[in-house]
Structures are given as structure tokens and as C-alpha cells.
Amino acid sequence: TSSSAHDTVIPLTLEDQTIGHTIIGPKASGDPYTPEDLQLLKTFSYQAAIALEKAQLYTQLKKYSQELEMRVQERTAQIRGMQEEQRQVMIDISHGLQTPLTVLKGEIRRMRKTNSGSEKLNAFERSIDEVSGFIYNLLHLARLETNNDNPPQNPVHLSELLHEVIE
């Protein structure tokens, strides 16, 4: 603390480090500052230093929070892009597999005309139907992932569904 005829300088100190100064003019009464006055001003300066440090920390935290939010948004966009690519690959693979299965199924129908009761043809056709059903389910799943915000809602007649299961 230094004092002159015109003003008093009190350092803003935090953890033994001076971060600024408080300059106070003379008292309005013209009286000199008492030790109690100076102690009160030192306490005020210490509290001001703490408030300044908290303001700096808040600013740093806010900046870090904004950077983190931006990183989260970027990463979310990357993940969405990867999900879209994965969905498109699933659709492409499904379509690519469905075409040869359709050709094979046509060939089986043609072969049935000449060899109508072949058990091997029946087993082969059932296998193609199972794979085709699996591919259809993959396509259906890819479509559901695309429309996950509003999935289709259709009424289900349980009695008809149970009847089909029983059959």
C-alpha cells in the first residue's frame, strides 16, 4: 500500500500475485486514511481480485463449453453420415443380391416344366425364398432406419395374425 497526498494505491493480490491495482483518491473530508480504512480497502481489493479471477474462469469455461458443443455437433454429423453410408451400402447389397436370385427363380420355374416333381428343385426354391426374405428384411430395416422419426403405424388384426400362425 502506498499513499500520497492525492491518492492511495492498493494492489489487487491473489495467491501472492499482483494482478492489478486499486487507486483511490483522497477522502472527501480531507482526513488521512486510517489503518482501519486501509484494512477495509485491502479486503475490498482482495474480494475484487477474486471476482476478476472468477470472471476469467467463467469466460474460459464458456469458451471451452462452446468448443465442446461444436465438436459434439461435428461428431454427430459424422456419425449420421456414416449411418447413411451404411444404410445405402445395405440397400445396394440387397438389390445386388436380389437380382441374381430372381434370375435363379426364373430358371427353376423353367426347369420345372421339364422336371416337374424334382425334390431338389423344391429345396433349392425354398432356399432362394429364404434368402430373398432375408434380403427383403434388410431392405425393410434400412427403410425403417431412414424413417425412424415417424415409423409407420398400421392396424393389426390379431385374429387374422393368429390364424396365419396356426396354419
Side-chain angles (χ1 to χ4, degrees):
T1 305
S2 66
S3 183
S4 70
H6 299 290
D7 55 20
T8 300
V9 178
I10 300 174
L12 295 173
T13 306
L14 190 61
E15 297 178 9
D16 296 328
Q17 184 180 8
T18 301
I19 61 170
H21 293 87
T22 302
I23 301 173
I24 300 174
K27 281 185 161 182
S29 66
D31 295 337
Y33 286 103
T34 65
E36 292 83 19
D37 292 337
L38 293 176
Q39 187 59 42
L40 179 64
L41 291 171
K42 286 179 185 178
T43 301
F44 169 77
S45 292
Y46 177 73
Q47 294 298 319
I50 290 173
L52 287 172
E53 181 186 44
K54 287 183 178 182
Q56 285 177 332
L57 290 173
Y58 174 77
T59 301
Q60 289 172 355
L61 180 64
K62 186 175 177 182
K63 181 181 175 185
Y64 179 75
S65 176
Q66 289 170 342
E67 289 173 3
L68 188 60
E69 179 64 28
M70 211 163 60
R71 283 190 219 146
V72 166
Q73 288 175 356
E74 289 171 0
R75 185 65 180 143
T76 301
Q78 286 175 342
I79 290 171
R80 284 191 178 131
M82 289 170 28
Q83 286 174 332
E84 178 58 28
E85 287 175 19
Q86 179 183 14
R87 185 190 68 78
Q88 188 60 47
V89 165
M90 195 166 29
I91 288 172
D92 293 345
I93 289 172
S94 297
H95 282 297
L97 290 174
Q98 195 66 36
T99 301
L101 289 176
T102 304
V103 170
L104 286 173
K105 193 126 171 154
E107 286 297 313
I108 289 174
R109 286 189 192 123
R110 189 181 61 76
M111 291 170 72
R112 267 188 209 270
K113 291 179 183 176
T114 60
N115 197 1
S116 62
S118 173
E119 189 58 38
K120 286 183 180 181
L121 286 178
N122 290 338
F124 193 53
E125 188 171 23
R126 279 193 303 272
S127 294
I128 289 174
D129 288 342
E130 287 176 13
V131 172
S132 185
F134 177 73
I135 292 169
Y136 172 79
N137 288 338
L138 282 176
L139 282 170
H140 187 67
L141 179 63
R143 286 187 189 108
L144 284 176
E145 287 179 356
T146 301
N147 299 325
N148 60 359
D149 294 337
N150 297 317
Q153 296 181 358
N154 298 321
V156 174
H157 298 285
L158 287 177
S159 57
E160 290 177 15
L161 182 63
L162 287 173
H163 184 66
E164 286 180 26
V165 169
I166 291 170
E167 285 181 5

